[in-house]
Amino acid sequence: MKSLPLPLRVAAGLAMTAVERARDLPTTLAGLPVTVVSQALQVSMRLQQQVTELAIKGDEALAALRPAEETPEWATFDEDIDDIDDDDDAPRTAFDRVEDPWSAEEHAIADTPAGPPASVENYDELSLPQLRARLRSFSVAELEELLAYERGTENRPSFVGMLTRRIATVRDQT
């Protein structure tokens, strides 16, 4: 038997491959989105790596052209500060600048509000949603009093943020 011409055999092979791929299509389609996303992320990561490598090479090239500062201007150390004591003209040490711990405690106690604001009797027991429900009835002065009390006691970020935003909203409305 004589063999068929090569183009005909290649065409038959392509047709069979197409039929096989068509049979596998339902299972391939299910994983296609994951495959596409995975390949896109791989390309993205390779691109980021190449950009980072180029930036590192650029930094190295530019570092040779520009001398590094010995001490950055923003860096200060206790030895660099030439504070002079008024009494004896001697340089001050790091220990001279530390405030007396007893007076620091007295200042902290004096700055702490005495009690919860009068506008909210049980402020310390309220949850964030409970306080939020009451905020619409307060004036700016009352809100500022609540904020000062919160900052002086618990200083909870969620409460401070909510009170600060409410104060800005009330000010914008007036």
Side-chain angles (χ1 to χ4, degrees):
M1 179 167 161
K2 187 176 176 189
S3 131
L4 296 173
L6 180 65
L8 185 61
R9 294 188 324 216
V10 170
L14 282 173
M16 287 304 298
T17 303
V19 168
E20 289 172 357
R21 297 276 171 115
R23 286 182 191 151
D24 293 340
L25 192 59
T27 58
T28 307
L29 282 178
L32 187 63
V34 174
T35 304
V36 170
V37 169
S38 171
Q39 290 176 350
L41 289 174
Q42 287 177 355
V43 168
S44 167
M45 290 181 72
R46 281 191 208 115
L47 180 64
Q48 289 175 354
Q49 288 174 341
Q50 290 174 350
V51 168
T52 303
E53 288 173 4
L54 290 173
I56 290 170
K57 285 182 182 179
D59 287 343
E60 291 171 355
L62 294 174
L65 301 174
R66 184 180 53 175
E69 295 179 45
E70 288 199 21
T71 304
E73 61 186 37
W74 51 264
T76 57
F77 301 96
D78 290 337
E79 300 85 32
D80 297 337
I81 299 173
D82 292 330
D83 288 337
I84 305 297
D85 192 0
D86 294 332
D87 296 336
D88 56 5
D89 291 337
R92 300 179 92 187
T93 65
F95 297 107
D96 293 333
R97 286 187 291 280
V98 175
E99 187 178 344
D100 175 32
W102 295 109
S103 66
E105 183 179 358
E106 288 173 6
H107 288 299
I109 291 171
D111 292 343
T112 303
S119 54
V120 182
E121 298 168 7
N122 56 349
Y123 177 83
D124 294 326
E125 300 166 8
L126 294 177
S127 67
L128 188 67
Q130 290 171 329
L131 179 62
R132 182 182 297 123
R134 299 179 184 191
L135 288 184
R136 293 191 183 273
S137 63
F138 295 132
S139 67
V140 173
E142 291 170 324
L143 290 167
E144 287 175 343
E145 181 184 4
L146 286 171
L147 180 60
Y149 177 76
E150 179 63 37
R151 284 186 173 152
T153 55
E154 300 283 330
N155 200 21
R156 298 168 285 191
S158 56
F159 280 69
V160 170
M162 181 182 65
L163 290 167
T164 304
R165 289 187 298 275
R166 182 62 188 159
I167 290 170
T169 301
V170 172
R171 283 187 178 149
D172 288 345
Q173 290 174 351
T174 55

